[in-house]
Structures are given as C-alpha cells and as structure tokens.
C-alpha cells in the first residue's frame, strides 16, 4: 500500500468476508478510499473501527450495497417521498438468490 498521494486512487475490497475489515482498515489508514463488499466486518467492533478510522482520516468508506443505486429502489424512494402511494404502515420483503 501507498499513501493517498501514491499509486492507489481507490480500492474495492472483495476478499473472503473475514478479510474485509483488516484489508479495509489498512487502506483507510493509508488514506485510500474504500468500497468494501458486504459485510464491512464480521463483528460490530470491526465495523465501528472502520467507521471511526474513515472519519479520523477523512477517507471515503462505503459498503457495496448495490440495491441502494438499483433503479427500482431509486424509483421506490421517489414514490415514497412524493406521497403518491400514501402512508406506508408496514413492509414485508424477502431477498435471496
């Protein structure tokens, strides 16, 4: 790894789950922006450490949650915000492959 002014502009971490936090932490400590696949860490403590390190180093950190930018999700947020479907009183959903 190099510092933020070095060779690496940003990193995408897609290693096995147990390596996400240690790899991401090293990158954040070097000032390298990180897009990390789910999960950010395997424990709450790991994730809290990543977030606090990102804040302390003013370095971008994002979990690779693709559904956030998925067109259907964006449209659903727009519809909810506009009030066109009324007040939402409950949601039941499933997600799987």
């Amino acid at each position: 790894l190099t510092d933020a002014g070095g060779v690496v502009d940003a990193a995408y971490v897609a290693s096995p789950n147990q390596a996400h936090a240690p790899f991401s932490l090293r990158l954040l400590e070097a000032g390298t922006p990180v897009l990390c696949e789910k999960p950010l860490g395997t424990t709450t403590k790991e994730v809290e450490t990543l977030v606090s390190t990102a804040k302390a180093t003013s370095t971008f950190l994002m979990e690779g949650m693709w559904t956030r930018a998925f067109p259907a999700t964006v449209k659903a947020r727009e519809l909810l915000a506009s009030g066109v479907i009324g007040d939402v009183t409950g949601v039941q959903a499933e997600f799987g492959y």
Side-chain angles (χ1 to χ4, degrees), residues 19-69:
H20 287 187
F23 289 177
S24 295
L25 184 60
R26 265 189 82 191
L27 290 158
L28 292 169
E29 289 171 340
T32 302
V34 174
L35 173 60
C36 181
E37 259 312 325
K38 305 177 297 301
L40 278 177
T42 57
T43 67
T44 302
K45 183 175 171 75
E46 284 182 345
V47 175
E48 288 171 345
T49 299
L50 292 174
V51 171
S52 65
T53 302
K55 287 180 180 179
T57 59
S58 297
T59 304
F60 179 84
L61 169 66
M62 181 176 171
E63 184 177 48
M65 181 57 83
W66 63 268
T67 54
R68 181 177 176 90

Side-chain angles (χ1 to χ4, degrees), residues 72-91:
T73 304
V74 172
K75 184 64 176 180
R77 282 197 306 265
E78 290 171 2
L79 292 170
L80 289 167
S82 73
V84 71
I85 63 172
D87 293 331
V88 176
T89 59
V91 175

